[in-house]
Amino acid sequence: MSYEAIFTEALDRLRAEGRYRTFAELSRLPEVGAGAVHHSVDGDRRVTVWCSNDYLGMSRNPVVVEASAAAARTGAGSGGTRNISGTTSYHVALEREIADWHGKPAALLFACGYLANLTALSTLGDMLPGCVILSDELNHNSMIEGMRRTSAEVQVFRHNDVEHLTALLAAIPSGRPRIVAFESVYSMDGDIAPIAAIVDVAQRYGALTYLDEVHAVGMYGPQGAGVAAALGIADRVDVIQGTLAKAVGAMGGYIAASETVVDLVRSYGPGFIFTTSLSPVVVAAAMASIGHLRRSDTERDELFARVGRLRDRLVTAGIPVMSDESHIVPVLIGDAERCTAASERLLSHGIYVQPINYPTVARGSERLRLTPSPLHTDEDEAHLLVAAVETWSHLGLPLLSRSV
């Protein structure tokens, strides 16, 4: 048996389907902006990055950078797991800040948002005998993997379909514990869940609610606390999960919930117990960023103004924008090879947008995912528009029928 041959065949299948992933090697430029240097076999060239999850540019905010540098004087790493020497004053302060941000009694930090979802959902599901977890069909892989690692039964409801969720909940025998797990902003489609309606039906049937606000924290609501906060119902959501790696501009993930829920996950969750805690350098950066975002609406206002302008201009040019609900601007291609080709064509214009193919999205819904930020300029926007129109024309990609 040739192990290498088996592995090579698996990789060749990805290449044949146009789904083989390549990483763009970037060096971000020291000056503030959305520019970077792209390194490739053809040489180095400057590009404008239009697919970063650093939605508000907070990773480059001077207050955040200075806080990170100051914390580095205590050491680059935390020195251990949270249980064994890895709980610093930075960690304790940030958990208190996050809990207050979301109006919850407690919060718990994780090495990343993926680990937060996987650990919290698997732990909660295992701790509730006979539990049923009801999951939106477009939930992130981290949530799905958390459910797979639990003894709970998992039922999937159609995306954002409250009637289907209601029917599933009504069919569960009374007395069985249940958890409704869903997201606020769905990052690939850019749409927003009917959170209030989902919470209403979950409470009607005695279900815990678990809300992933990864693509919303920092972006929506009073002080940037998320969509549930914007709707004034964060107090009705049992567990709020978020990340420090997107709008906050740092790294890490968390849950915010009751003291009992947080203590349960802290005490039983392997993904928390056995992982080295976040570096104080990262924690200090996140603390400074959240503090800034709680006081300032400037970054959010600039972002949403940019999003609105760009989306309108793309639609007017006939570029098939898929959603207008959030800050994410997904553009439909519908084929893996053509999606990759569009990304490569844009790169030749100095525009970097990574293709999004299966399994991140369903086959036939391959897309480019644009994420405008306050760091982009009017010149960046005009350049992107010209490049997109040329790319669609060159590749013969379908345009919106209402194009002008």
Side-chain angles (χ1 to χ4, degrees), residues 146-157:
M147 297 172 208
R148 285 176 177 169
R149 284 166 168 75
T150 180
S151 58
E153 176 186 347
V154 178
Q155 298 183 13
V156 178
F157 63 93

Side-chain angles (χ1 to χ4, degrees), residues 5-23 335-338 340 344 355 357-361 363 366:
I6 295 172
F7 300 153
T8 299
E9 182 182 353
L11 292 169
D12 286 344
R13 288 197 300 271
L14 291 179
R15 293 186 179 95
E17 295 173 13
R19 296 195 295 116
Y20 182 75
R21 300 183 182 214
T22 58
F23 298 153
D335 175 83
E337 290 186 2
R338 300 182 89 187
T340 299
E344 292 173 350
N357 295 328
Y358 178 84
T360 305
V361 296
R363 297 179 192 273
E366 292 83 359

Side-chain angles (χ1 to χ4, degrees), residues 101 112-113 213-215 217 241-248 251-254:
W101 197 24
C112 63
E213 290 251 45
V214 159
H215 292 276
V217 291
Q241 184 267 349
T243 185
L244 306 172
K246 294 181 170 61
V248 175
M251 180 181 176
Y254 63 83

Side-chain angles (χ1 to χ4, degrees), residues 217-381:
V217 291
M219 307 288 294
Y220 299 85
Q223 303 181 15
V227 180
L231 297 172
I233 58 172
D235 61 318
R236 298 178 60 205
V237 177
D238 295 297
V239 182
I240 294 176
Q241 184 267 349
T243 185
L244 306 172
K246 294 181 170 61
V248 175
M251 180 181 176
Y254 63 83
I255 60 169
S258 70
E259 291 182 356
T260 302
V261 167
V262 166
D263 197 16
L264 181 80
V265 177
R266 181 190 71 87
S267 301
Y268 281 92
F272 175 82
I273 294 170
F274 296 106
T275 54
T276 299
S277 66
L278 287 167
S279 163
V281 173
V282 171
V283 177
M287 183 78 169
S289 179
I290 292 172
H292 177 87
L293 292 173
R294 295 187 73 177
R295 297 186 300 270
S296 171
D297 289 323
T298 301
E299 291 79 12
R300 287 185 285 274
D301 290 345
E302 291 178 355
L303 168 79
F304 283 106
R306 175 70 60 198
V307 168
R309 287 194 300 268
L310 177 63
R311 183 185 287 123
D312 288 347
R313 295 181 72 181
L314 288 170
V315 169
T316 298
I319 305 300
V321 174
M322 298 171 63
S323 173
D324 62 359
E325 291 189 57
S326 72
H327 62 285
I328 295 167
V329 185
V331 177
L332 182 65
I333 304 291
D335 175 83
E337 290 186 2
R338 300 182 89 187
C339 192
T340 299
S343 174
E344 292 173 350
R345 186 71 182 179
L346 287 168
L347 193 58
S348 73
H349 287 278
I351 302 289
Y352 171 50
V353 186
Q354 189 72 11
I356 307 295
N357 295 328
Y358 178 84
T360 305
V361 296
R363 297 179 192 273
S365 68
E366 292 83 359
R367 68 201 62 180
L368 301 177
R369 176 180 173 273
L370 301 172
T371 53
S373 81
L375 301 184
H376 289 103
T377 65
D378 292 344
E379 291 74 19
D380 293 334
E381 182 181 312

Side-chain angles (χ1 to χ4, degrees), residues 4 7 23 96 103 121 164-165 173 256 269 391:
E4 287 292 319
F7 300 153
F23 298 153
R96 289 173 178 164
L121 282 168
H164 189 211
L165 172 61
T391 295

Side-chain angles (χ1 to χ4, degrees), residues 23-25 37-45 347:
F23 298 153
E25 181 185 348
V37 175
H38 177 239
H39 307 286
S40 72
V41 294
D42 297 323
D44 298 346
R45 69 170 299 167
L347 193 58

